[in-house]
Amino acid sequence: AVLLTFVVLWAQGFVLQMMGQRIMATLRARLFAHLQRVPTSTFDRTPVGRLVTRVTTDVDAINELFTAGIVSVFGDILLLVGITVVLFALDWRLALAAFSILPLLLVLTLWFKARARASYREVRGKIARLNAFLQEHVSGMSVVQLFGREARQLEAFRRINQEHRDANVRGIVAYAVFYPGVELVTAFGVALILVVGGARVVAGALTVGALVAFLQYAQRFYQPLTDLSEKFNV
């Protein structure tokens, strides 16, 4: 079983990475073809660096979504459904205790969703602005030097660079609260199962073996929830 798991996971990783690379190549080719068809006024309104960001780093972000997110999310959902059925078949009371933490996870996820969407959207805008500034000033460096604007333009670049850094830090802080929060809530769920299940074992309504089996299944149930929180960040 371990060897089979190794082979399947290797094949999955290989196929996903190949798919992601082909998707990126196709997207970039179509984006470049699109840029050749847009009116010339587009290039007057939009800095070249911003367009380069769309074709490069933004496409990389989509590749990460495909290779690290979508397929694994489907697998996690299927695993959650299967384990839910098993938990209720073992003991519906303990199953309800295990699922009682789900509202807390929902609140935590909604909080992170609001923070992450705002910060990551800001990050995309800042990196586009940074690339636009770089492209304009590298291509026009002779003009900058001719007018002796090096120090002023360096200060302008530092300001844009710091804004990009600060936007990233805000996203990191949100995730740094969210992921440990998910771990804490799931640990609370395990503790609740031990309390409720232990009481039922003492009362003779449940065997120790059944409690151990239920606990193992519950932990397998919480693991995809943690993985989903990781994919949500992607």
Side-chain angles (χ1 to χ4, degrees), residues 12 31-32 44 64 73 85 91 131 145 154-155 174 202 211:
Q12 175 182 312
L31 283 169
F32 186 74
D44 294 329
E64 187 177 4
V73 166
V85 173
D91 192 298
N131 287 337
Q145 293 176 346
L154 175 59
E155 185 58 35
V202 171
L211 176 59

Side-chain angles (χ1 to χ4, degrees), residues 121-142:
R121 183 173 293 164
E122 187 180 8
V123 167
R124 304 313 306 167
K126 296 299 182 184
I127 190 63
R129 187 181 171 195
L130 187 68
N131 287 337
F133 188 94
L134 274 172
Q135 185 276 326
E136 289 174 351
H137 285 75
V138 170
S139 61
M141 190 56 68
S142 58

Side-chain angles (χ1 to χ4, degrees), residues 45-103:
R45 296 191 308 269
T46 310
V48 174
R50 188 177 295 273
L51 297 175
V52 170
T53 301
R54 295 289 173 266
V55 182
T56 55
T57 58
D58 286 358
V59 173
D60 285 336
I62 294 175
N63 170 58
E64 187 177 4
L65 171 68
F66 276 102
T67 57
I70 288 181
V71 175
S72 298
V73 166
F74 284 124
D76 287 340
I77 291 174
L78 287 174
L79 187 61
L80 286 174
V81 172
I83 293 179
T84 298
V85 173
V86 173
L87 290 179
F88 274 102
L90 286 174
D91 192 298
W92 66 269
R93 297 176 186 82
L94 282 180
L96 292 178
F99 296 152
S100 64
I101 66 167
L102 294 182

Side-chain angles (χ1 to χ4, degrees), residues 18-28 59 62-63 66:
M18 287 292 293
M19 180 183 71
Q21 292 301 318
R22 291 180 178 179
I23 287 172
M24 280 201 300
T26 303
L27 269 177
R28 284 178 176 147
V59 173
I62 294 175
N63 170 58
F66 276 102

Side-chain angles (χ1 to χ4, degrees), residues 104-115:
L104 288 175
L105 286 176
L106 178 62
V107 170
L108 194 60
T109 301
L110 291 176
W111 172 84
F112 175 73
K113 178 182 177 182
R115 292 292 184 92

Side-chain angles (χ1 to χ4, degrees), residues 165-179:
R165 178 201 62 196
D166 294 342
N168 271 292
V169 168
R170 282 189 285 274
I172 291 169
V173 168
Y175 180 69
V177 174
F178 176 63
Y179 189 76

